[in-house]
Amino acid sequence: MTTAHPHTATDATPCTAPPAGLRGRKRERTRRAISEAAFRLFAEEGFEAVTLTRIAAAADVAPATVFTHFASKEDIFFGRGSEFDAALPEAVLPAADSVELLDRLHRFYVDCYGMVLTEENDSLGQARVFARILLGSPALRRSYLPVSRARRGRLLELLVERAGRKAERPDVRAELELFASFANAVREQAFEALHASLAAGEPAERTHEVIATALACGFDRLALAYGGAAVLDAGRLADCESSC
């Protein structure tokens, strides 16, 4: 790594203050090193047997550094989840009506699981390890509940934003909460099917088929309940009583 000489620094970029981008990249490298070390230990010894102190040693960082980046072992394990939901606003907010919303949400979930099952950078191999660790740990299974609730909450936030003033009505808000719960349940059913298939070592093609079937079945049911429902039309203040 090269170091800038003091006389080369300008008033705008003093030599004592490294660029924010550099700090961000260093932080990300440290976070990734901790995560990779943790998963190696989880895979070798099981989630419950591994301590944060041992993770720090394996990552060659101080224990305090681990706590700077992660609140707990569970936080490390589920840390990548936010990556998959980054595009959720793009899927939900532009939908004009219930039919388009269901279609866009369905495709979003399919794309999320496609990211998991890609062969690029051994993503599929890592997903198999993740699934085996998860299904082998009662503690992780219990810890997943808040993760699922957070996903439901994020979907609800976007539905409320999309509905606009209509969401101020208690009956509409209740319907949006119910829809978010149903849609999240479909996602979680597919999640269970995904990890059961991965942990069993089934071929990627078979896992793709399992996920596609689970999502198609779930969204068929959602379409029966919500297809054409005015309550899911974006930003309309029309009476929704007939669809609630």
Side-chain angles (χ1 to χ4, degrees), residues 151-199:
R151 285 176 171 167
R152 174 195 175 276
R154 179 56 177 149
L155 176 57
L156 177 59
E157 288 175 1
L158 293 170
L159 292 170
V160 168
E161 178 181 348
R162 176 178 164 275
R165 288 178 55 201
K166 184 172 66 174
E168 296 173 6
R169 289 175 43 175
D171 59 329
V172 173
R173 173 72 186 218
E175 275 295 317
L176 295 180
E177 292 178 356
L178 192 59
F179 175 80
S181 295
F182 287 153
N184 196 58
V186 169
R187 176 176 182 159
E188 296 306 331
Q189 182 70 20
F191 182 93
E192 292 286 341
L194 167 72
H195 288 97
S197 181
L198 289 172

Side-chain angles (χ1 to χ4, degrees), residues 225-243:
Y226 288 99
V231 71
L232 292 182
D233 290 348
R236 298 184 184 176
L237 291 171
D239 189 359
C240 300
E241 292 181 0
S242 62
S243 63

Side-chain angles (χ1 to χ4, degrees), residues 17-161:
L22 180 60
R23 288 198 300 269
R25 289 193 296 272
K26 182 177 180 181
R27 178 179 176 84
E28 180 57 31
R29 283 196 300 270
T30 301
R31 183 179 176 88
R32 186 174 295 276
I34 293 169
S35 179
E36 290 175 354
F39 270 86
R40 284 196 302 270
L41 292 172
F42 294 156
E44 292 168 3
E45 303 176 22
F47 181 81
E48 281 80 2
V50 178
T51 64
L52 287 171
T53 300
R54 294 202 46 220
I55 292 171
D60 197 24
V61 299
T65 302
V66 176
F67 284 108
T68 298
H69 293 271
F70 300 98
S72 63
K73 290 193 301 179
E74 289 80 4
D75 190 25
I76 297 175
F77 188 82
F78 293 118
R80 284 197 62 197
S82 59
E83 297 178 23
F84 297 106
D85 284 340
L88 183 59
E90 297 175 20
V92 173
L93 295 177
D97 55 29
S98 61
V99 174
E100 185 180 358
L101 175 64
L102 289 168
D103 179 64
R104 293 177 69 92
L105 201 55
H106 187 177
R107 285 188 281 117
F108 168 75
Y109 289 160
V110 169
D111 289 346
C112 283
Y113 290 113
M115 290 171 61
V116 173
L117 297 175
T118 181
E119 298 283 356
E120 185 177 352
N121 295 326
D122 194 33
S123 179
L124 179 59
Q126 294 172 16
R128 293 192 189 281
V129 172
F130 181 98
R132 294 186 184 112
I133 297 170
L134 175 63
L135 296 184
S137 170
L140 280 174
R141 301 284 283 176
R142 291 190 298 270
S143 298
Y144 181 71
L145 183 56
V147 176
S148 179
R149 287 175 175 165
R151 285 176 171 167
R152 174 195 175 276
R154 179 56 177 149
L155 176 57
L156 177 59
E157 288 175 1
L158 293 170
L159 292 170
V160 168
E161 178 181 348

